[in-house]
Amino acid sequence: MSTTHPEPKQVYRIQGLTCANCAMKFENNVKHLAGVTNATVNFGASKITVYGETTLEALQKAGSFDNLKVYPEKAKIELQREPLVKAYWNVLLSGLFLIVGYALPEQSIASVLVFAASILFGGYSLFMKGSKNLFRLQFDMNTLMTVAVIGASILGEWSEGATVVILFAISEALERHAMEKARQSIRTLIDAAPKVALVRRNQHEVTLDVDEIMVGDIMIVKPGQKLAMDGIIVKGTSTINQAPITGESVPVSKTMHDEVFAGTLNEEGLLEVKVTKRADDTTIAKIIHLVEEAQAQRAPAQAFIDSFAKSYTPAIMVVAIAVALVPPLFLSGSWSEWVYRGLAVLVVGCPCALVISTPIAIVTAIGKAARCGVLIKGGIYLEEAGRVNAIAFDKTGTLTKGFPEVTELIAFLHDETELLRIAALLEKGSQHPLASAIVRRAASSGIDLSAPAEDFQSVTGKGIRAKIDGKTYYMGSPAYLAEINSDMLTPAISIRIRALQQEGKTVMALGTESDILGLIAVADDIRDSSKTALHQLKQHGIKQTMMLTGDNQATAKAIGNRLGITEIRAELLPQTKLHLIKQLKDEYSSVAMVGDGVNDAPALAAASVGIAMGGAGTDTAMETADIVLMGDDLRKLPFTIKLSRKALAIIKQNIAFSIGIKLLALMLIVPGWLTLWLAISADMGATLIVTANSLRLLKVNE
């Protein structure tokens, strides 16, 4: 019996990867290396995954066509930016020669030599790539530009050839800058968590690299420091800025037994944190990994562009050859005029703008979302979220807080404080969720709960009784107190109880054998953000909102009405929720389901987009959902829909503009108005416009 071993896989980061065509070429080069079975370039994250075995030197050689630098993913290499003059000295020198050439007499030997120098300095790397591609019959933008510039020189159009070179170089430089800016969002996350931490081991405090820190180590975090690892606070109290993880702008109070995350900022107190995860397993490490994976996934629009571009460039070559040869051969046209027009077709046909139109928008949008505490797990989900027009919500833990809270204290014979004290003393021995809500409320109000509850007795399904300060008290359902003394529940009190119950609240009564002391209403209260979020969703064009819950009809209706939800479905089983999601999809085409990422898995999977709440520290949420709202703030959902709609609109705009500008420029060939410099200006302008248009996604506000 043979044993199969997993294929070796290595991930490397790439420095200098600025264009989608270069990424595809590098990927193909690596695939043909000895020992490599497959390779995948992640253009958005500037990484390559190599399956099989190869060397770093071989990878560097595969990327030498564009001077790409490759290094292991976890290598601690500090990248230093070259000064602008040093990085682009050849472009600056080429530009200087171009200016001098235009100052010299036209068509003079001196001007020709200066323009030739401008072409050589500015286009050397371009010619090297283009000529190699030409011999291999690989037609990309470098090939097209090389043929066009050489053709212009042969025709004596030295000034236009030099202008084309300098404009192309400027276009590439600006494209590189824009791509770096788009990637900056994920780099911000990578830099969020410190690489070292102060750890107490064997009664000694030592500074360790995060890769050396083990689960169970005690990490010491001083005020003003960032946490390097996920963990649980074992000593100290502080406020933590969790913006890198959840996108929350307001710091959160944390004390003993609370969970904290790597990359967050300790603002005030000294904390001792017990490490619960290794460096590679921290929440922020998983976010970075998932964001980079998401940026690698091709959205439907991008898949269309990639497929289109494969046939587009050879087609442009054919059109250019036809324009250059057919009129002179068959229509008595001038060779120099029509060859020049053919070269203009090559230049304007460069697919730069078209190729970059979709990936830069997706990289920018996913990165922006991650910085705001929203994890979108691929371009396909970004596009799908942009099309959503109906959203279904789970109730508990999504629209509501997920745990009961005291909402009303109604005292009849004592003040509210005394009513709450007696109730909490009675309930502090109980494990019921409603009891814990009362005890929490009393503790947060600073009430002393040291007095004992004597002769405690629980009456199953009804309530409890015990002695406090020598006096017997009863607490439970109103029906339980009516059993003790039917005269206690007066008509006025009964009306009050029914009103609270109709609001979806559980009402508990507290009394003695002769009197009812007061009522306490408990409910799983609505999140502060829910009402605002639902209002904003309607503003963003969501036509239908639906609540799907297993809770009773009265509670569901009360909460749904308070939130203004369009349709409320209660007392549902998981399979019923699944059926309702399918019905919604039939009616509205694209439907999102929002839940907690653990329950309602079938409904989340059946929806066009499954969205999980509160993914910070929750592996299940990050694994199961298509989009994860890292915090418990539902207001991130309208932001996600807004960003996705904007991204979808920008992708469509970019594609339409990129193709439209090409068609417009090609129409100028017929009257002979399309010059080489106008062609490259159109191509460069289109590239810059789609890039700038995509970067507008960075400005989308929450």
Side-chain angles (χ1 to χ4, degrees):
M1 182 177 174
S2 62
T3 305
T4 57
H5 298 281
E7 190 175 21
K9 179 181 82 169
Q10 295 293 328
V11 181
Y12 300 88
R13 294 199 175 273
I14 312 164
Q15 185 183 0
L17 190 65
T18 56
C19 75
N21 274 331
C22 301
M24 290 170 63
K25 184 173 180 180
F26 180 50
E27 183 180 285
N28 286 329
N29 287 353
V30 174
K31 283 179 179 177
H32 288 95
L33 292 176
V36 174
T37 57
N38 197 11
T40 308
V41 168
N42 181 337
F43 176 56
S46 200
K47 291 166 65 173
I48 183 168
T49 303
V50 180
Y51 299 89
E53 294 182 355
T54 188
T55 63
L56 194 60
E57 290 74 21
L59 292 173
Q60 296 278 18
K61 190 174 180 180
S64 62
F65 69 94
D66 202 26
N67 296 318
L68 301 178
K69 299 288 184 288
V70 185
Y71 50 95
E73 183 183 26
K74 293 187 179 180
K76 293 176 174 60
I77 296 175
E78 196 168 323
L79 301 178
Q80 295 183 341
R81 292 182 178 274
E82 284 186 300
L84 197 63
V85 174
K86 187 177 179 182
Y88 299 108
W89 67 269
N90 60 324
V91 178
L92 296 171
L93 193 59
S94 175
L96 182 63
F97 277 123
L98 181 66
I99 294 168
V100 172
Y102 275 114
L104 293 171
E106 192 175 348
Q107 296 300 326
S108 65
I109 294 175
S111 69
V112 170
L113 290 174
V114 171
F115 282 132
S118 176
I119 290 171
L120 287 173
F121 277 107
Y124 176 76
S125 61
L126 167 69
F127 300 144
M128 292 299 291
K129 298 174 198 172
S131 55
K132 285 179 183 177
N133 290 348
L134 195 58
F135 284 119
R136 295 170 184 163
L137 296 179
Q138 295 175 347
F139 301 113
D140 63 7
M141 60 189 73
N142 293 305
T143 314
L144 302 185
M145 295 300 298
T146 299
V147 172
V149 173
I150 292 172
S153 303
I154 292 171
L155 292 175
E157 300 290 346
W158 294 95
S159 61
E160 291 214 30
T163 304
V164 166
V165 165
I166 193 73
L167 288 175
F168 183 72
I170 292 170
S171 175
E172 280 201 315
L174 290 172
E175 186 179 325
R176 184 179 298 116
H177 173 73
M179 202 64 220
E180 284 298 311
K181 190 171 182 180
R183 288 178 181 141
Q184 186 62 41
S185 51
I186 187 63
R187 194 169 294 123
T188 303
L189 287 175
I190 292 172
D191 295 339
K195 302 297 182 283
V196 295
L198 184 64
V199 173
R200 183 183 295 123
R201 275 188 185 172
N202 303 321
Q203 307 303 315
H204 296 289
E205 293 182 3
V206 290
T207 300
L208 297 176
D209 187 283
V210 291
D211 290 329
E212 298 174 26
I213 298 173
M214 307 295 291
V215 172
D217 279 339
I218 301 298
M219 181 173 61
I220 299 166
V221 189
K222 298 175 182 177
Q225 288 185 337
K226 285 185 176 181
L227 283 81
M229 309 290 284
D230 284 11
I232 301 291
I233 296 174
V234 293
K235 186 177 180 183
T237 300
S238 184
T239 54
I240 304 289
N241 186 333
Q242 299 189 139
I245 302 291
T246 64
E248 295 169 284
S249 56
V250 180
V252 180
S253 295
K254 298 277 186 176
T255 188
M256 284 182 61
H257 310 303
D258 284 341
E259 189 175 15
V260 288
F261 308 109
T264 58
L265 177 67
N266 176 26
E267 294 199 337
E268 294 176 356
L270 179 68
L271 296 177
E272 293 190 12
V273 178
K274 185 177 181 180
V275 175
T276 55
K277 295 178 182 176
R278 295 292 305 268
D280 289 344
D281 299 325
T282 61
T283 300
I284 197 164
K286 288 183 177 179
I287 292 172
I288 291 165
H289 173 72
L290 288 170
V291 169
E292 290 185 335
E293 289 296 308
Q295 290 176 333
Q297 290 183 21
R298 287 177 170 84
Q302 190 173 345
F304 160 73
I305 292 299
D306 292 344
S307 174
F308 181 76
K310 285 181 181 177
S311 53
Y312 170 82
T313 308
I316 284 292
M317 288 288 292
V318 171
V319 171
I321 292 169
V323 169
L325 298 181
V326 172
L329 287 174
F330 302 105
L331 303 172
S332 303
S334 165
W335 277 100
S336 60
E337 179 186 348
W338 286 99
V339 168
Y340 178 85
R341 293 189 189 187
L343 295 176
V345 172
L346 283 184
V347 174
V348 82
C350 279
C352 309
L354 188 62
V355 169
I356 203 171
S357 61
T358 302
I360 194 168
I362 289 170
V363 168
T364 305
I366 289 175
K368 170 69 177 180
R371 287 175 63 182
C372 294
V374 178
L375 185 57
I376 301 174
K377 293 167 66 174
I380 186 170
Y381 307 119
L382 178 74
E383 284 196 26
E384 198 62 58
R387 297 189 184 97
V388 163
N389 43 40
I391 302 179
F393 296 88
D394 177 40
K395 178 183 75 70
T396 307
T398 301
L399 295 171
T400 64
K401 294 176 181 177
F403 53 87
E405 286 186 329
V406 174
T407 58
E408 272 95 9
L409 290 166
I410 303 169
F412 298 135
L413 297 181
H414 297 292
D415 60 22
E416 290 182 2
T417 302
E418 181 62 12
L419 177 72
L420 184 58
R421 185 185 80 89
I422 295 169
L425 289 171
L426 285 167
E427 295 283 13
K428 71 178 182 179
S430 172
Q431 299 299 315
H432 196 280
L434 299 182
S436 63
I438 293 169
V439 174
R440 276 199 310 272
R441 175 66 176 267
S444 67
S445 301
I447 294 173
D448 180 15
L449 299 178
S450 58
E454 299 172 335
D455 298 334
F456 179 89
Q457 183 181 352
S458 174
V459 182
T460 305
K462 295 182 179 181
I464 56 174
R465 76 174 185 183
K467 282 185 178 180
I468 306 290
D469 301 328
K471 192 171 185 178
T472 301
Y473 293 94
Y474 300 83
M475 185 167 179
S477 67
Y480 174 52
L481 265 74
E483 287 180 15
I484 305 300
N485 185 342
S486 59
D487 295 333
M488 281 196 288
L489 290 184
T490 64
I493 292 175
S494 297
I495 290 170
R496 199 78 176 266
I497 290 168
R498 279 196 298 273
L500 290 169
Q501 289 174 334
Q502 285 171 1
E503 292 176 12
K505 297 170 183 177
T506 301
V507 182
M508 291 180 285
L510 172 63
T512 62
E513 290 182 354
S514 57
D515 298 298
I516 186 164
L517 305 181
L519 304 174
I520 299 176
V522 177
D524 178 9
D525 207 9
I526 292 171
R527 290 182 185 274
D528 297 334
S529 58
S530 294
K531 195 163 188 176
T532 305
L534 284 156
H535 176 69
Q536 290 175 345
L537 285 170
K538 288 176 183 176
Q539 288 182 322
H540 294 320
I542 298 300
K543 298 173 184 175
Q544 170 79 323
T545 53
M546 179 184 281
M547 181 201 292
L548 306 178
T549 179
D551 211 339
N552 67 75
Q553 190 72 40
T555 301
K557 190 174 180 181
I559 288 172
N561 289 340
R562 282 172 64 190
L563 291 173
I565 288 179
T566 315
E567 193 171 345
I568 301 156
R569 297 295 184 92
E571 300 175 15
L572 302 176
L573 297 172
Q575 57 266 36
T576 318
K577 291 184 181 182
L578 175 63
H579 178 67
L580 287 170
I581 289 291
K582 289 179 178 178
Q583 280 186 344
L584 270 180
K585 284 179 75 175
D586 290 340
E587 188 174 352
Y588 291 96
S589 181
S590 188
V591 175
M593 171 71 191
V594 187
D596 61 6
V598 180
N599 302 319
D600 305 317
L604 284 168
S608 309
V609 184
I611 302 173
M613 283 280 292
T618 309
D619 293 343
T620 308
M622 286 200 279
E623 287 166 8
T624 57
D626 305 320
I627 296 176
V628 184
L629 311 182
M630 296 304 295
D632 283 328
D633 189 349
L634 201 61
R635 284 169 296 193
K636 299 288 181 187
L637 181 57
F639 162 73
T640 305
I641 298 297
K642 179 182 175 182
L643 179 70
S644 300
R645 291 209 194 297
K646 189 81 172 174
L648 192 59
I650 281 176
I651 288 169
K652 289 176 179 177
Q653 291 164 10
N654 285 352
I655 293 172
F657 181 77
S658 302
I659 295 175
I661 200 74
K662 302 293 182 190
L663 294 175
L664 180 62
L666 289 171
M667 287 169 64
L668 297 178
I669 293 171
V670 179
W673 296 344
L674 185 65
T675 60
L676 281 177
W677 67 266
L678 186 60
I680 187 62
S681 296
D683 179 69
M684 183 179 81
T687 302
L688 295 183
I689 288 169
V690 300
T691 300
N693 197 33
S694 298
L695 292 179
R696 287 196 300 130
L697 290 165
L698 293 173
K699 303 294 184 184
V700 176
N701 296 319
E702 294 183 59

